[in-house]
Amino acid sequence: CYLFLWQAYMDMRWIYAEPSQETVRQLQEQLHISSLLARTLVNRGITDSTDAKHFLYDNISSLYDPFLMKDVRKGAERILTAIERGERIVVYGDYDVDGITSTALVYRSLCDLGADPAFYIPERQSEGYGLNRDALEELVRDKTEVIITVDCGISSAKLVKEFNTQTDIIITDHHEPSEHIPEGYAVINPKQQDCMYPYKELAGVGVAYTLCRALRMLAGKTGVEEYTSLVALGTVADLVPLTGENRILVADGLSRISEGDNFGIQALIETTGLDATKISAGNIAFSVAPRLNAAGRISHAEKGVFLLLEKDSDKAKETAEELHDLNTQRQDIERAITTAAIDEVESKGYEDDHVLVVAGDGWHSGVIGIAASRLIEKYYKPSLVISLKDGVGKGSCRSITGFNMYEALNSCKELLIQFGGHAMAAGFSVAQENIDALRERMNEYASRHLTEKDYIPVLNVDSVVAGEDVTVDTVHELSLLEPYGMGNTRPLFVLKNALLYDIKEIGRQKTHLRIVAESEDGCRLSGVGWSMADKADYILRNDEVDLAFQPELNTYHDRTTAQLVLRDMRLTHEYKPTLTRNDMVDIYKVLKTYVGKGRRTVSDTRRYMLDAVTLIDGHDVLTALQIFKELEILVTSSDDEDIYYEMPAQGSKLSLNDSPTFRAVGSGL
């Protein structure tokens, strides 16, 4: 039996890629790159030197002919005719970042061509996603001749049929089409079966950008490239694969963002404290996009569109600060809903379900998608979070690798009012009385499509490396793979049998780790593990460890070095506890003399115990501390700076058998 507290690292599967060495050698020779970069390319399915050159060196001029996309020419010609006639054109968007950026992009492009367009974005809570009858009726009353949908419309066949005789509806969307394609004036979506556009994974803003390219070309104009900053923001935020054209568009857009080409985006970046000249796709995903998303989640998404269209830097800063404040509110609401969702999972015994389905009255529908993501972080299971109001639930879903959420919803579509989305994220609405049936059907679907291993998070390792491979030059070369994201993750390497010279908790509340290790080939390397302080509960100085990491550059006092950003760390050799009951008594006595006098920080306590208890293996000492915590002989508290141990007075006699760790390793005690 293994120690209970080791479960965290045991549950992470390291899967090693085994690329063809001959293919690696050929890429290395033909492209004049290192074997490390060649192996990483092969692991991404890039085995041909021509494909590798495209992947590494394509730019905005490498995009496919926009007229290959079905209905693009038809839609673009109708829009140009509307501009010439002075007809009323409305861009109908969505309230997430993809929809907001798509709306701003098409609006700006139309203005550049001499149009005087308007835009409409539904309010998330009262109107919901996509086209709705009230909005279309209002647009028709306002004598709108052309409606251009962005990031929506493909699932609105009935509404489009109802209104297509009253106004021309041009649909641009990237979501999975159903069997019923809307009868719009033009339907532009590369995922249609008869669409000849080679790249199918564009975000909504990417599809809108393709239409804008076609408009420019037909109008004999150039310059739409200046809006790739909007495309990059929407593409990264929508979690589509950063491969092919998405990668080209994001790379170009990031370079334009770093040049400060959009006042709204610059203002948003300023609120994060990031350096706009060094912005990355990761910065967009985790810092910038959530602030823009907050407009649609808490207030109204039109604020985000106005920000991206703003041409006055001072006004942009004011709006960005407002969105920053909204994002803070969003975080507070999200934490409350996540806590309630976890409580429901645990109080109703859903932990053993294959798919988590939870619902709550009045949960803010604008943040339930984030709450679903938090459930995956905690349980690593496909998660559906539903907000109930007046007998109807609005749901948001997030998935795990191997579970296609869109297909899962489609398998029980008769239970749903409507649904749409992707393999990894989707939305739906459902009658409250059907939620239990939905839970049952989703679990049945998962039992047929997932195995036990699918519920264990995976680290896909690109290569085992030596210490000498981790250099500044290596990191620079690997940067050719950027931007990183879905479908093109940051390379992950493993350093085996490294000797740990130092391990130390850092940061506020000591939640992070800093380590120094020496590789087998004698290279001394430093690394940081974000939110990995729990590893110090069982890994010690002088331990031999395997390190899963991503290399990055670290500049300190004008000196740049390569450091390890840890993703996981485990002991090279299996540890089995050898504690005896007498050992437990001896450790308790030493602990009492130190913590019994008043609260002590967890890190100080750990160091003191390891120094003071010299006749017992250090790993056994840490095991004993875990047992004492489970028995509440040791309790933790925290403030803004650190986490502390205390030893409260014991009111009753305790049994070691009350500790899960003790029971798990009882044969050794």
Side-chain angles (χ1 to χ4, degrees):
C1 247
Y2 297 106
L3 195 58
F4 175 79
L5 60 87
W6 295 60
Q7 194 65 32
Y9 91 83
M10 289 175 63
D11 277 352
M12 189 76 76
R13 285 191 293 149
W14 296 11
I15 297 180
Y16 294 88
E18 297 181 0
S20 162
Q21 295 306 306
E22 178 61 21
T23 303
V24 170
R25 184 189 62 78
Q26 289 177 359
L27 285 184
Q28 189 177 356
E29 292 177 355
Q30 293 168 2
L31 298 177
H32 306 292
I33 59 178
S34 70
S35 63
L36 199 61
L37 179 56
R39 276 179 278 170
T40 305
L41 286 169
V42 174
N43 291 344
R44 280 150 178 72
I46 302 167
T47 58
D48 177 81
S49 61
T50 300
D51 292 340
K53 286 178 182 176
H54 282 303
F55 186 87
L56 296 175
Y57 305 117
D58 271 359
N59 55 38
I60 200 70
S61 65
S62 307
L63 298 176
Y64 294 111
D65 180 352
F67 296 107
L68 290 173
M69 194 172 291
K70 182 184 178 183
D71 276 3
V72 157
R73 183 180 293 276
K74 183 179 181 182
E77 288 175 345
R78 176 65 184 93
I79 293 167
L80 290 176
T81 299
I83 294 173
E84 291 171 4
R85 295 174 177 172
E87 294 177 339
R88 176 174 166 78
I89 305 173
V90 173
V91 183
Y92 192 112
D94 184 32
Y95 40 65
D96 67 3
V97 177
D98 192 12
I100 291 170
T101 53
S102 300
T103 302
L105 167 67
V106 175
Y107 182 95
R108 276 197 166 184
S109 296
L110 294 175
C111 290
D112 290 345
L113 294 172
D116 182 22
F119 68 84
Y120 184 92
I121 297 182
E123 199 277 326
R124 181 187 288 262
Q125 296 207 67
S126 62
E127 296 180 87
Y129 167 77
L131 297 173
N132 69 82
R133 179 173 285 99
D134 289 345
L136 291 175
E137 288 176 346
E138 179 182 341
L139 294 177
V140 168
R141 282 196 300 270
D142 290 342
K143 302 186 184 308
T144 302
E145 283 92 351
V146 177
I147 297 173
I148 306 170
T149 77
V150 290
D151 194 33
C152 65
I154 196 67
S155 60
S156 301
K158 290 183 179 179
L159 275 177
V160 172
K161 185 175 183 179
E162 182 179 340
F163 284 89
N164 65 8
T165 58
Q166 303 172 64
T167 182
D168 287 336
I169 302 175
I170 297 171
I171 294 169
T172 75
D173 201 349
H174 73 121
H175 294 96
E176 294 287 347
S178 68
E179 53 190 299
H180 302 294
I181 302 296
E183 298 174 10
Y185 184 91
V187 179
I188 303 168
N189 183 332
K191 291 179 180 175
Q192 295 178 91
Q193 288 187 354
D194 54 350
C195 179
M196 302 304 293
Y197 200 75
Y199 189 69
K200 305 294 185 181
E201 299 301 326
L202 291 168
V205 70
V207 178
Y209 183 77
T210 305
L211 172 63
C212 292
R213 285 200 293 137
L215 282 168
R216 290 283 189 134
M217 293 172 70
L218 289 178
K221 295 180 180 292
T222 59
V224 74
E225 294 85 1
E226 66 188 272
Y227 297 139
T228 56
S229 56
L230 295 172
V231 183
L233 179 52
T235 298
V236 171
D238 212 51
L239 299 179
V240 291
L242 286 195
T243 58
E245 290 200 342
N246 285 338
R247 188 164 176 273
I248 293 171
L249 291 166
V250 171
D252 192 81
L254 290 175
S255 68
R256 293 180 185 275
I257 290 173
S258 69
E259 295 168 1
D261 78 332
N262 184 290
F263 286 140
I265 296 176
Q266 290 300 115
L268 276 177
I269 293 172
E270 285 182 20
T271 67
T272 70
L274 294 168
D275 182 351
T277 64
K278 299 177 181 178
I279 205 72
S280 69
N283 296 148
I284 294 292
F286 295 107
S287 297
V288 181
R291 286 164 168 77
L292 189 59
N293 232 339
R297 293 185 185 280
I298 304 300
S299 180
H300 198 292
E302 67 180 15
K303 292 181 180 179
V305 179
F306 286 130
L307 174 64
L308 297 179
L309 296 176
E310 185 58 68
K311 296 183 178 180
D312 184 303
S313 61
D314 290 332
K315 290 182 180 178
K317 290 177 181 178
E318 290 179 10
T319 305
E321 285 295 336
E322 182 180 352
L323 294 186
H324 175 74
D325 292 340
L326 287 173
N327 190 53
T328 301
Q329 294 179 37
R330 186 271 304 168
Q331 290 171 326
D332 292 339
I333 296 170
E334 170 218 317
R335 279 190 287 268
I337 293 176
T338 299
T339 299
I342 292 172
D343 287 345
E344 181 171 354
V345 168
E346 296 182 352
S347 65
K348 295 187 177 180
Y350 296 151
E351 298 103 317
D352 295 330
D353 284 1
H354 299 297
V355 177
L356 301 179
V357 180
V358 295
D361 288 316
W363 287 355
H364 198 298
S365 61
V367 299
I368 54 177
I370 304 174
S373 297
R374 298 292 178 259
L375 290 182
I376 288 183
E377 290 173 7
K378 183 174 178 62
Y379 299 104
Y380 199 69
K381 294 181 178 183
S383 298
L384 291 71
V385 179
I386 303 169
S387 171
L388 297 173
K389 183 179 180 181
D390 300 329
V392 175
K394 291 182 179 180
S396 191
C397 325
R398 297 294 183 269
S399 196
I400 63 175
T401 301
F403 187 85
N404 188 312
M405 186 61 75
Y406 179 85
E407 293 298 334
L409 291 175
N410 189 54
S411 72
C412 48
K413 59 185 177 183
E414 71 276 7
L415 295 173
L416 306 175
I417 299 171
Q418 62 179 11
F419 71 98
H422 317 291
M424 299 302 289
F428 65 93
S429 57
V430 60
Q432 184 170 352
E433 61 266 22
N434 286 338
I435 291 176
D436 287 340
L438 174 64
R439 179 182 295 107
E440 182 177 349
R441 291 281 294 279
M442 291 294 284
N443 274 276
E444 289 174 355
Y445 183 90
S447 67
R448 296 193 304 271
H449 290 83
L450 294 177
T451 66
E452 288 186 12
K453 283 188 176 181
D454 291 322
Y455 293 101
I456 302 175
V458 168
L459 284 181
N460 289 300
V461 177
D462 282 283
S463 182
V464 175
V465 298
E468 65 180 6
D469 293 323
V470 187
T471 66
V472 171
D473 289 342
T474 299
V475 179
H476 279 305
E477 185 188 38
L478 289 171
S479 69
L480 290 170
L481 299 168
E482 296 181 15
Y484 301 123
M486 291 284 292
N488 181 41
T489 56
R490 186 180 294 272
L492 181 71
F493 305 113
V494 164
L495 197 66
K496 284 182 170 289
N497 307 319
L499 182 64
L500 198 61
Y501 269 96
D502 192 25
I503 178 170
K504 182 180 181 181
E505 302 99 316
I506 60 173
R508 294 181 65 182
Q509 294 195 334
K510 301 297 186 290
T511 54
H512 312 302
L513 276 185
R514 184 167 295 284
I515 68 160
V516 177
E518 185 173 288
S519 62
E520 284 188 300
D521 57 348
C523 296
R524 187 73 63 93
L525 300 163
S526 64
V528 61
W530 306 117
S531 301
M532 289 178 61
D534 61 319
K535 301 293 182 183
D537 285 338
Y538 52 85
I539 296 178
L540 304 172
R541 291 185 186 93
N542 299 318
D543 276 341
E544 193 173 276
V545 292
D546 296 338
L547 304 172
F549 69 94
Q550 294 159 328
E552 73 170 21
L553 297 180
N554 180 45
T555 301
Y556 184 70
H557 287 172
D558 297 324
R559 180 172 178 264
T560 300
T561 59
Q563 75 168 0
L564 317 180
V565 178
L566 301 179
R567 291 293 308 281
D568 200 7
M569 176 169 60
R570 56 177 58 168
L571 290 171
T572 300
H573 304 292
E574 181 182 297
Y575 161 69
K576 293 184 179 180
T578 57
L579 280 168
T580 66
R581 289 180 179 272
N582 288 337
D583 290 335
M584 292 293 294
V585 172
D586 291 341
I587 293 169
Y588 174 82
K589 290 177 180 177
V590 177
L591 183 67
K592 185 69 173 178
T593 63
Y594 186 67
V595 181
K597 296 178 181 179
R599 76 173 189 169
R600 305 280 190 169
T601 67
V602 169
S603 55
D604 285 347
T605 302
R606 186 182 294 119
R607 280 193 295 271
Y608 177 85
M609 294 299 294
L610 292 171
D611 290 340
V613 183
T614 58
L615 299 180
I616 300 175
D617 184 276
H619 299 96
D620 288 339
V621 173
L622 296 183
T623 301
L625 293 181
Q626 175 70 13
I627 293 171
F628 290 143
K629 283 194 294 182
E630 292 169 358
L631 295 174
E632 297 185 356
I633 292 171
L634 273 179
V635 297
T636 58
S637 61
S638 64
D639 57 26
D640 290 339
E641 298 300 325
D642 218 322
I643 302 175
Y644 304 88
Y645 277 147
E646 295 179 86
M647 296 184 72
Q650 299 300 316
S652 59
K653 187 175 181 180
L654 299 173
S655 169
L656 286 174
N657 286 320
D658 292 332
S659 160
T661 296
F662 176 81
R663 294 196 301 272
V665 299
S667 60
L669 288 170

